[in-house]
Amino acid sequence: MGSLVGGGVLATALLSGVHFELLENIGATKTALAYYAHPISTAIAGNIYLNERITTLTVVRVAVVFTGFILVKRQNVPTALSAVPSK
C-alpha cells in the first residue's frame, strides 16, 4: 500500500509540477519531446533493476510513436532540437 501511495500519489504530484514548469519555461513542443525519453528510460531501468526483457516489439512500438510525433511536429522539431544545449 505504501508503494502505491508513494508511486502513485506523490510521484504524480511531483510530475505535475514538473510538467507545468517545463511548459512555462521551454514550451509545449520541447516538453512533448522530453516525455518521449520517459518510456525509454523506464524500459532500461526495468531491465536493469527488475530484470524485465526489452523485446523487439517494445522497441518497434517506441519507434512508431516517436516517428508519428516527429511527422506531426516536423516544422517545430528542428527548432526545439537546436535549443538543446550540447556538451
Side-chain angles (χ1 to χ4, degrees):
M1 183 65 165
S3 63
L4 177 64
V5 170
V9 176
L10 296 177
T12 300
L14 175 68
L15 290 176
S16 292
V18 169
H19 171 76
F20 289 110
E21 187 70 25
L22 284 172
L23 281 175
E24 183 177 316
N25 290 325
I26 64 172
T29 301
K30 292 179 199 172
T31 299
L33 281 172
Y35 281 126
Y36 281 100
H38 179 71
I40 296 167
S41 62
T42 303
I44 293 169
N47 178 264
I48 293 170
Y49 296 113
L50 303 174
N51 202 28
E52 294 177 342
R53 291 183 31 210
I54 298 175
T55 65
T56 304
L57 187 58
T58 302
V59 173
V60 168
R61 287 175 177 164
V62 169
V64 166
V65 170
F66 187 73
T67 301
F69 175 79
I70 296 297
L71 290 173
V72 168
K73 295 290 188 180
R74 64 184 167 271
Q75 287 90 10
N76 298 358
V77 170
T79 305
L81 291 178
S82 67
V84 174
S86 61
K87 292 185 178 185

